[in-house]
Amino acid sequence: MTTATVQTLETPDGAFTLIVDSGARVLASGWTADADALVVRVHPVLRPADLVPGQTAAGAAVTAYYAGDLASVVTVPVRQHGTDLQLQGWAELRRIEPGAPLSYAEFAARLGKPSAARVAASICARNAPALFVPCHRVLRNDGSLGGFAWGTPVKHALLERERG
């Protein structure tokens, strides 16, 4: 059983909470003040038993992101557990440049699976450390927003901010 730090910040898109392990790696994050809503998104093998409130370097990166340093969040370490393809996908999401979103088909092609747009969408849906692994930068093939765990208004706001 482990203990992790939980921090909630106010952002222009609402409350943003993050859960960070003892190695300063983000396990989960999202636009909610409800830490329990995040804990369930952490894979069971990584899920902390206890949360203690505190300040984190990851929280400082979120503040920097909202201040205009859009690259600050992808340099923060994250910790995820999944299949090899999921891990590859989450790493690839971190390489998508702000302001240059991809379609699910383009994302699938980057993974070497050009006909697996649904698999690409599933990788995005299972992404626990939102913003740090920017799954919001993947859109439907027709350019529409598609789904987002934290709501399409937040996804739209993030993309507009990144469009600059």
Side-chain angles (χ1 to χ4, degrees), residues 19-32:
I19 297 173
V20 178
D21 73 7
S22 61
R25 298 168 295 194
V26 178
L27 299 174
S29 55
W31 289 265
T32 180

Side-chain angles (χ1 to χ4, degrees), residues 8-17 30-33 62-63 65-68 70 73 130-131 136 148-162:
T8 300
L9 304 136
E10 283 304 319
T11 75
D13 299 319
F16 184 86
T17 300
W31 289 265
T32 180
V62 172
T63 300
Y65 172 88
Y66 277 100
L70 302 177
V73 291
L131 190 61
H136 65 275
F148 187 56
W150 307 107
T152 54
V154 171
K155 184 173 184 172
H156 176 74
L158 294 170
L159 292 170
E160 285 300 310
R161 182 173 290 103
E162 293 177 357

